Structures are given as C-alpha cells and as structure tokens.
Amino acid sequence: MSENLLLFGPPGVGKGTQAQRLSNVFQIPHVATGDMLRAAIQSYTPLGQRAKAFIDKGQLVPDEIVLELLGERLQQADTKRGFLLDGFPRTIPQAEALGGMLTGYGKKLDHVLVLDAPEEELVTRISGRRICESCQASYHVVAKPARKGGVCDRCGGALIQRSDDSESIIRNRLREFAGKTKPVVEYFLAHGWPVRMIDANGNMDQIFGRIYAAVLLS
C-alpha cells in the first residue's frame, strides 16, 4: 500500500512517537524537516551550508531552502512507496508552497493527519518530561516514570527537566502555535486537502489506533 501522509499538530501532542510507529507499520520513510536540516548541515552539502549560515546568525532557515531540501528528499527512491511528512508546513505560505511543489513532482497527499488535544493536557505532557543528564534517555513523571525517582534506569544519571519544558515556555509555544500554525488547518480544509482530525487524548496505543483507522478507512 502506498501512502503519502502529513502529520500535523501542536507541541506535546505526540507527533514524534506516532510518526515512528506509522513509518514502521506502513514501511514508509519519516521525512522530518528538522532532521533533514541537521543531516544536510552535518554532511556539508551545499544546501546544508546555506542553511547553516542562517542558523549561525540565529535566524530562521528561509522557506525556499527547506523546500529545496524537501524536494530533493521526496525524489529519492525510498519515497516511491510513500512518505510521512512531519514538521512542515507551519504557515499558510509554506502550505501553499508545499502544495505547488508536490503538484510539480506529480505527487499528492493521501491523508493530512491533524492531532488535537486540550491545552492543559499538552502542558501536563510536556512539563512532565525528563531526560537523563548523562545518556539522554527520556522519561515522564506520569506516563513513563523512572524506577527510582530522579535517577535514570539505564545509567544511574540524574534526570532533569529541559529549560524549554517549563510551564511558562510551553504555554508561550502553544500560543504561538495557535496564532501562526493552527490557521494552516483552516487553509487545508478550505482548499480541499484530505484532512483527518484525530483525537489525541489517551495513551499512545489508543491514539495510534485512531490514526491507523483514519488512514485505512478514509
């Protein structure tokens, strides 16, 4: 089965976890724009070096560079059976550009999977995340607690909360998402993109079941 999927949703909604499972189940590559940028920079590709010049100045990488990287990635052989796009678009101009690029390559999205959960649930999920200071293993104070409080099961290192996982920063990120990125969903709907709204409440298995059903039954 060939599936071209786009995963969309706010911070903390579980896109990373679900993307990994979808990629494995449908045997399609997970195309995450953040990962692509890092790989291009580490590989010293021409596009990677152009992107690095902006990052080094503390600036956002321009859309045209991200789209060029994405275009290169979507022409690779492993995307012929499908792909799972994650992290792009974040704005309406990006959505317009993505639509034009896909049309130019003779591709289309089969499903736009929009994960949604209440703000308080997202704040709880993100603020409860902990990582090991030594080995970077990840935990959650509710969903995946360490066996011994504050200590990594794997290496015994100290578990810490990332500075950007504090409640005030999380709420600011969610406000930013609501203001800049949520209108993209309205754009998808207005322009006939195949949007599937997914209830992202519950545990990861329940959410995956809803996504899987939406892909197979839509």
Side-chain angles (χ1 to χ4, degrees):
M1 180 190 299
S2 173
E3 295 287 355
N4 295 335
L5 310 177
L6 169 62
L7 199 57
F8 192 89
V13 81
K15 294 190 300 296
T17 300
Q18 300 302 339
Q20 197 170 41
R21 291 185 68 171
L22 285 164
S23 176
N24 291 336
V25 167
F26 290 106
Q27 296 186 314
I28 55 177
H30 176 201
V31 180
T33 50
D35 293 343
M36 278 194 319
L37 278 170
R38 283 187 288 273
I41 290 168
Q42 290 168 1
S43 301
Y44 296 98
T45 67
L47 274 176
Q49 292 310 293
R50 283 170 58 194
K52 186 174 184 297
F54 288 93
I55 292 170
D56 286 347
K57 295 174 188 172
Q59 299 172 351
L60 291 174
V61 177
D63 289 353
E64 57 266 26
I65 293 179
V66 178
L67 282 162
E68 279 188 65
L69 277 169
L70 191 53
E72 287 182 356
R73 183 68 185 88
L74 295 183
Q75 291 182 83
Q76 292 177 12
D78 64 343
T79 66
K80 288 182 179 178
R81 295 190 69 256
F83 57 83
L84 172 59
L85 183 57
D86 174 19
F88 193 92
R90 295 180 187 273
T91 65
I92 290 174
Q94 288 178 354
E96 292 171 339
L98 174 64
M101 187 192 73
L102 290 172
T103 300
Y105 289 137
K107 296 179 182 287
K108 67 178 181 65
L109 292 169
D110 296 303
H111 304 282
V112 177
L113 303 163
V114 180
L115 306 186
D116 192 33
E119 180 175 323
E120 292 308 315
E121 170 69 15
L122 297 173
V123 171
T124 298
R125 287 185 192 177
I126 302 174
S127 63
R129 295 193 301 208
R130 300 292 185 270
I131 60 169
C132 174
E133 206 169 21
S134 301
C135 73
Q136 303 301 302
S138 60
Y139 297 86
H140 192 279
V141 295
V142 176
K144 187 186 174 185
R147 288 192 293 269
K148 183 180 178 183
V151 178
C152 178
D153 295 345
R154 183 191 298 173
C155 74
L159 300 185
I160 60 171
Q161 183 185 50
R162 291 187 342 189
S163 60
D164 58 347
D165 283 347
S166 68
E167 183 173 336
S168 61
I169 292 178
I170 295 163
R171 291 192 186 278
N172 186 56
R173 288 166 62 197
L174 291 172
R175 279 194 297 272
E176 189 171 314
F177 175 84
K180 295 181 181 177
T181 312
K182 201 170 183 179
V184 178
V185 177
E186 296 168 9
Y187 173 88
F188 291 155
L189 291 167
H191 289 79
W193 291 39
V195 173
R196 320 293 179 218
M197 299 300 298
I198 309 294
D199 177 5
N201 281 300
N203 64 45
M204 293 298 112
D205 289 337
Q206 291 169 330
I207 298 165
F208 180 77
R210 293 174 199 136
I211 297 172
Y212 188 75
V215 171
L216 290 188
L217 302 178
S218 298

